[in-house]
Structures are given as structure tokens and as C-alpha cells.
Amino acid sequence: MKSNATLAALMLAATAVLSGCANTSPSQNYGYSQPESASYGTIDSIQAVQGASQTSGAGAVVGGIAGALLGNTIGSGSGRTAATVAGAVAGGVVGNQVEGRQQHAQNYQINVRLDNGQFRSVVQDSIYDLNPGNRVRVIDGRVYRY
């Protein structure tokens, strides 16, 4: 009974530690300045760009649990406990990496020629019905049809 409680505590601790590996930032800054007010212009070009992969932590949790269960089948006594912890950590790391490879955010770089002659590049997650040649306005780092 004591080993089951120890195993449960180790799995809970490993899950808590590994869930901190998740990247939960809601947006990415790609080095482009964001305008403070509305600007008007015409879309010059649109390119699909690969965004950074983001993980939710679910891969780390599932991998940690699977690794702990696998590690628990190895050895006996304190060796089993060490194998359980090592399996949980290794499984969490691998699970997080697998999830990160499967989730690649698709973003779009929209190059706008503003009415004042300047160019502005905006990266956003969707283009809806935007096409080169459309009249647009740029507000707070997003492009909208005008």
C-alpha cells in the first residue's frame, strides 16, 4: 500500500514539474512594430510563414504517466521507485517534444503599402478574405479590409 501511495505522489510531482514546460504565451512577437493608430493602404503581398510550435502540456502529462507506468514495471524496492521517477521524467520530456512537433502554427506575413508611401509588415494567424491589391486598414497590428 505504501508503494502505491509513493508511486501516486511521484507521478503527481512529476506531472506538476513537467507541466511547467508548456509554452502558454498567447501571441508571438516577430520583430515587427505594431501601429498605434489606424493606417490605410493596399496589400502588396502575402506570404505564409511557419510560426513557433506551442504545446499545451498534455503531451508532457501523458508521456509522464506512460513513462512512470513503464518504469514501475522495472526492478523492485528502491530500484523500482527510481525507475518510476526516471520513466516519468523521460516520458514527460518525450511527450512534450512529440506534441510540439505536431502543432505548428500557420501564420501569414502581410506586406502593406501605406497611403503615405511607407511599407508595413504584419504577421497574423489568418487572412480571411485578404488578397494582394485589396484596400485595407492596419489597426493595432492587424490588417482588415476597408
Side-chain angles (χ1 to χ4, degrees):
M1 185 70 173
K2 184 178 179 184
S3 65
N4 287 343
T6 303
L7 176 62
L10 289 173
M11 287 176 42
L12 182 61
T15 301
V17 169
L18 292 173
S19 65
C21 297
N23 180 6
T24 58
S25 63
S27 63
Q28 300 288 328
N29 183 355
Y30 292 95
Y32 301 106
S33 62
Q34 295 186 358
E36 295 176 2
S37 62
S39 302
Y40 297 88
T42 305
I43 295 178
D44 189 52
S45 64
I46 300 174
Q47 289 107 15
V49 294
Q50 195 68 25
S53 63
Q54 298 180 2
T55 60
S56 65
V61 171
V62 171
I65 291 170
L69 292 174
L70 182 62
N72 192 40
T73 64
I74 299 171
S76 63
S78 62
R80 176 177 282 179
T81 303
T84 301
V85 172
V89 171
V93 170
V94 170
N96 195 46
Q97 290 176 349
V98 168
E99 181 186 13
R101 282 191 213 119
Q102 292 177 353
Q103 295 182 0
H104 291 287
Q106 181 69 42
N107 292 308
Y108 300 91
Q109 178 179 334
I110 305 167
N111 299 311
V112 178
R113 182 187 316 236
L114 300 176
D115 291 344
N116 65 7
Q118 294 179 342
F119 279 91
R120 173 126 335 126
S121 291
V122 176
V123 176
Q124 61 189 47
D125 57 353
S126 62
I127 55 173
Y128 301 111
D129 61 345
L130 298 174
N131 293 301
N134 288 144
R135 289 283 299 157
V136 294
R137 62 182 164 197
V138 181
I139 303 173
D140 295 329
R142 296 230 14 126
V143 177
Y144 302 95
R145 279 192 70 145
Y146 174 64

